[in-house]
Amino acid sequence: MIRAIDVSDLPEPLVEAIESLVNTYRRKIGLASAAPHPRPIGWLQGRWELPATFFEPLPDDVIDAFEDGDEE
Protein backbone atom coordinates (compact mmCIF):
# COMPACT_ATOMS: atom_id res chain seq x y z
CA MET A 1 0.00 0.00 0.00
CA ILE A 2 1.37 3.38 -1.01
CA ARG A 3 0.72 6.20 1.40
CA ALA A 4 1.22 9.87 0.60
CA ILE A 5 3.20 11.93 3.07
CA ASP A 6 3.55 15.67 3.50
CA VAL A 7 7.23 16.41 2.97
CA SER A 8 6.86 19.87 4.47
CA ASP A 9 6.93 18.18 7.88
CA LEU A 10 10.33 16.58 7.18
CA PRO A 11 13.71 18.23 7.73
CA GLU A 12 15.21 19.67 4.52
CA PRO A 13 18.29 17.35 4.51
CA LEU A 14 15.97 14.33 4.61
CA VAL A 15 13.85 15.68 1.73
CA GLU A 16 16.99 16.24 -0.35
CA ALA A 17 18.21 12.72 0.42
CA ILE A 18 14.86 11.23 -0.61
CA GLU A 19 14.79 13.26 -3.84
CA SER A 20 18.32 12.11 -4.63
CA LEU A 21 17.37 8.49 -3.98
CA VAL A 22 14.27 8.71 -6.20
CA ASN A 23 16.20 10.40 -9.02
CA THR A 24 18.96 7.79 -8.83
CA TYR A 25 16.38 4.99 -8.98
CA ARG A 26 14.62 6.59 -11.95
CA ARG A 27 17.90 6.92 -13.86
CA LYS A 28 18.78 3.31 -13.03
CA ILE A 29 15.54 1.89 -14.42
CA GLY A 30 15.52 4.23 -17.41
CA LEU A 31 12.78 6.66 -16.42
CA ALA A 32 15.06 9.64 -16.76
CA SER A 33 14.51 9.91 -20.52
CA ALA A 34 11.60 12.00 -21.72
CA ALA A 35 9.86 9.20 -23.66
CA PRO A 36 10.58 5.49 -23.90
CA HIS A 37 11.34 4.07 -27.33
CA PRO A 38 8.35 2.02 -28.52
CA ARG A 39 8.95 -1.39 -30.01
CA PRO A 40 8.38 -1.40 -33.75
CA ILE A 41 5.43 -3.43 -35.02
CA GLY A 42 6.55 -6.81 -36.35
CA TRP A 43 9.99 -6.70 -34.75
CA LEU A 44 10.06 -10.51 -34.46
CA GLN A 45 8.76 -11.15 -37.97
CA GLY A 46 10.81 -13.88 -39.61
CA ARG A 47 12.60 -14.76 -36.34
CA TRP A 48 9.78 -16.53 -34.53
CA GLU A 49 6.52 -18.15 -35.55
CA LEU A 50 3.47 -18.90 -33.48
CA PRO A 51 3.07 -22.70 -33.43
CA ALA A 52 -0.17 -24.15 -34.81
CA THR A 53 -0.74 -25.88 -31.46
CA PHE A 54 -1.36 -22.45 -29.93
CA PHE A 55 -4.85 -22.49 -31.44
CA GLU A 56 -5.76 -25.98 -30.24
CA PRO A 57 -8.21 -26.25 -27.33
CA LEU A 58 -6.67 -26.54 -23.88
CA PRO A 59 -6.94 -29.88 -22.07
CA ASP A 60 -9.77 -30.16 -19.53
CA ASP A 61 -7.38 -30.33 -16.56
CA VAL A 62 -5.83 -27.00 -17.54
CA ILE A 63 -9.24 -25.37 -17.95
CA ASP A 64 -10.32 -26.79 -14.58
CA ALA A 65 -7.28 -25.19 -12.96
CA PHE A 66 -8.64 -21.78 -13.98
CA GLU A 67 -12.22 -22.46 -13.08
CA ASP A 68 -13.80 -23.58 -9.84
CA GLY A 69 -14.60 -26.98 -11.39
CA ASP A 70 -18.29 -26.84 -10.44
CA GLU A 71 -20.49 -27.85 -13.34
CA GLU A 72 -24.16 -26.91 -13.24
Side-chain angles (χ1 to χ4, degrees):
M1 176 179 178
I2 298 176
R3 187 179 71 146
I5 60 170
D6 184 5
V7 295
S8 64
D9 295 336
L10 300 175
E12 187 61 31
L14 182 56
V15 173
E16 290 173 1
I18 292 171
E19 287 175 344
S20 175
L21 180 65
V22 169
N23 289 334
T24 300
Y25 175 75
R26 286 177 169 238
R27 278 192 302 276
K28 183 178 180 181
I29 63 170
L31 291 177
S33 61
H37 301 291
R39 264 187 239 147
I41 296 174
W43 67 283
L44 281 178
Q45 188 172 7
R47 297 186 216 165
W48 184 76
E49 291 184 25
L50 189 64
T53 57
F54 178 83
F55 297 101
E56 293 177 3
L58 292 172
D60 289 336
D61 59 327
V62 174
I63 293 173
D64 288 342
F66 287 97
E67 297 175 348
D68 60 357
D70 293 337
E71 297 289 326
E72 291 186 27

